[in-house]
Every structure is written in C-alpha cells, then in structure tokens.
Amino acid sequence: MENTLYDLADFLDDLEIKGLKQKESTLLKNSEKIKLLLSSNHSLKQQIEKLKEDLNVEISVFTYRNFLIKYFKKSYEEHTINKVFSNCKVIVLDLILNKKIDDSAHIYEFLIKNKMLKKVKNDDKSIITYEKFLDKLKEYTKLKHLSIKIENKIENTDIEKEIAAHAKDIDELSADTKVNIELLDGSLDPYNIRFLTYSYIFKKHSKKKYDFDEKNYIVIPTSYNNKKLDFEKIKNLIFEENLIKNYSLIFHDNKLEDGFLYIYRLINKKLHLLEKINSRESSEFEDYYKKGVNIFLNNFENFLNNGSLSLEKIY
C-alpha cells in the first residue's frame, strides 16, 4: 500500500504563510489558483507563465517544481501522473482495439517496457505504480465504454521487482539523516539526504537563474579528443573507481543526442536525476560549467597517464 501524500499548504495558517519568503508567501496565498493549474494539463512552464501574468511572480521551472514538492506534494504527484497517462491514451486505445490486448496487467507491462510511464524522462525507475496506473485506466476505459480484464495486483514479474527495489533504495535514505555539502567558499552546510535526491544548492540571495554553490562536481562533456564519450561507460567507472566524492553533482552534456544537459547527484553509488535543461542554458553558468569540464578531464587524464584506465573504457 502506498503512503498517503498531503498538500502542506492546506495546513498552514495566515501567520505561518506571512512569515515565509515573499515569493513563497505570495504563491501560498493563492493556493487555490495553483491547485487549479495543477489539475489542468498545462506544463510547469505554462503554469509559470500564467502565475507571472496573474500574480506578477517570476520563478524558474526548477524552483517552482521544488516549491510544489514542498507545499503541494499530493497535487503535484496527481498532476504528474495525469500528464504521463494522458500521453499514453492513444497507445492504450490501439492496444485494446487493434492489438486485442485487453488485460490491464499486460497493458501496463507493454507501456513500461516501452518506457512510456516514466514520471522523469531520463530515469527508468521513476515509473507510475501499477495501483495508480490502474485507477487511471479504469477511468479512461469507462469513459470510452471499453471492456477490459482488470487485474487488481501484479505478481511475480520483473516489473514488480524493479518497483520494489527502487522503493527500497529510497527508504534506505533515512529522512532524519543529514550530510554536509561543501560550498564554493569552503564552508560546510548540512542538508537532509532525501532533499539531495531531487535538489541542488544555489548561492543564497542570488538573482541568477543558475548560480550553483557546490564545490564537488564534474561536467562530462559531449566529446573528448573529437570522439563522443560513452556516458554509460563513464558512469560505471565513477562507481568502480570512486573518481568523485559521494554526494557530488554530475552534469552530463548530451547535446549531440537530444540537446539536453542532465544534472545528477551521486549518492551511495547511485545517480539521482535532479533536472534536465536545454544544453544552451549552460551559458547561464559558463564559468562553473567550464571549470567542471576541467575537473572531469584532469581526473580522467590522471587515470590515463598512470595506466589504470584505457580510452576504450570511455568511448
């Protein structure tokens, strides 16, 4: 059974809201408007544009998403699930009507294997649970007057094992555990470990869109010596050779493949995807980006020079 989620915004009184930062306070005073936007099929970017128009509030997608996770966790989760399922509706119809797959468990397995139920596009484990999927499937087939066989539970499948393993990974990160993150000025700030699985640290009071304040990080560029780097191979090397410190940020520039820059955090030999942004946006933090590339190249060139690493392991 899944944990029940709540919108913390529903439990805050006027005095508590007034004591928060101005931007958060303004948004929370308009919680019904935010819930209405989340109940729509609008992307976060479209919601931000509407909030800017109605409330004169400027906020980045990353900051807005973190705000929603903090104060509107239930509504944001429902919004995400609705968006993902909405993108699958035509495929679901095709499976039922043309391919004669009329079993809910088989429909779910087909969509999972084709990576169509991921809440985060670049994270294969961020999939909608079968229970949530089934709720949406029942609503949709009823609306379309379609009859299918409903399996209320999936058992003994690779998918079920994968979901359970991912849940175990998160549960092992105790909500009470805090770790020190080294900032650019050398100081240490403690952060909740679960917070670090979905967020990174910006400089306080900065007005820049991207103003990273973490010292331990690398940027993996698209290529090295005019050859495309293999991210999967490099990822394995990071795990095997302890090339960077635990809790470090890893930026992967994938502009030649899909035009995006992926931002991960390394936690206990697992990569947690924090965000993906357009590669062009790296110009917003050009110096930080270039330094991260140099750190990466220095690390790997040291391994190449001492003979402990061959080029075949990164191409």
Side-chain angles (χ1 to χ4, degrees), residues 22-28 30 33-34 47-60 63-64 67:
Q22 183 177 354
K23 190 174 293 183
E24 288 188 345
S25 180
T26 300
L27 292 171
L28 286 167
N30 292 274
K33 179 182 291 290
I34 290 175
Q47 293 178 41
I48 287 170
E49 290 171 354
K50 183 64 176 172
L51 291 171
K52 181 179 179 181
E53 178 185 328
D54 294 348
L55 305 178
N56 195 29
V57 171
E58 293 200 21
I59 188 170
S60 69
T63 303
Y64 182 55
F67 167 81

Side-chain angles (χ1 to χ4, degrees), residues 243-274:
L243 295 178
I244 58 174
K245 293 181 179 180
N246 202 16
Y247 310 117
S248 294
L249 294 178
I250 297 174
F251 296 75
H252 172 223
D253 196 338
N254 200 40
K255 62 185 176 185
L256 292 183
E257 293 293 327
D258 59 13
F260 288 103
L261 176 70
Y262 294 86
I263 308 173
Y264 301 88
R265 187 182 299 281
L266 175 66
I267 300 180
N268 302 335
K269 294 194 175 183
K270 292 184 177 68
L271 292 189
H272 295 262
L273 180 66
L274 310 184

Side-chain angles (χ1 to χ4, degrees), residues 107-234:
I107 293 172
Y108 181 71
E109 290 188 17
F110 177 91
L111 295 174
I112 291 293
K113 287 176 182 177
N114 286 276
K115 300 183 178 182
M116 301 183 70
L117 291 180
K118 295 187 292 184
K119 290 185 282 186
V120 179
K121 288 183 180 180
N122 202 44
D123 183 354
D124 288 340
K125 292 184 178 180
S126 68
I127 55 179
I128 296 175
T129 64
Y130 183 67
E131 182 180 350
K132 293 291 186 183
F133 170 79
L134 192 57
D135 288 342
K136 296 300 172 186
L137 184 63
K138 286 178 179 177
E139 291 175 6
Y140 187 58
T141 52
K142 183 178 180 181
L143 178 67
K144 295 295 182 180
H145 305 290
L146 296 172
S147 178
I148 64 170
K149 181 182 177 182
I150 298 296
E151 296 284 350
N152 289 316
K153 188 177 181 181
I154 50 174
E155 297 179 351
N156 301 320
T157 67
D158 291 337
I159 293 171
E160 187 181 42
K161 291 174 183 176
E162 184 177 342
I163 295 170
H166 182 55
K168 185 174 181 291
D169 289 342
I170 298 299
D171 288 342
E172 286 175 352
L173 301 177
S174 171
D176 298 324
T177 301
K178 289 193 174 184
V179 297
N180 286 323
I181 298 298
E182 187 174 7
L183 306 183
L184 290 177
D185 63 5
S187 62
L188 298 175
D189 265 9
Y191 288 90
N192 181 287
I193 194 168
R194 287 195 180 176
F195 169 79
L196 295 175
T197 64
Y198 62 80
S199 190
Y200 37 73
I201 315 304
F202 281 155
K203 290 182 180 178
K204 294 176 181 176
H205 311 303
S206 175
K207 294 183 179 180
K208 294 181 180 179
K209 185 175 183 180
Y210 296 105
D211 203 357
F212 298 97
D213 197 20
E214 298 194 37
K215 185 175 182 179
N216 296 313
Y217 74 103
I218 59 171
V219 176
I220 301 171
T222 302
S223 60
Y224 175 74
N225 287 341
N226 297 318
K227 290 186 178 180
K228 184 176 177 297
L229 292 171
D230 188 319
F231 178 65
E232 288 302 315
K233 290 182 179 180
I234 293 173

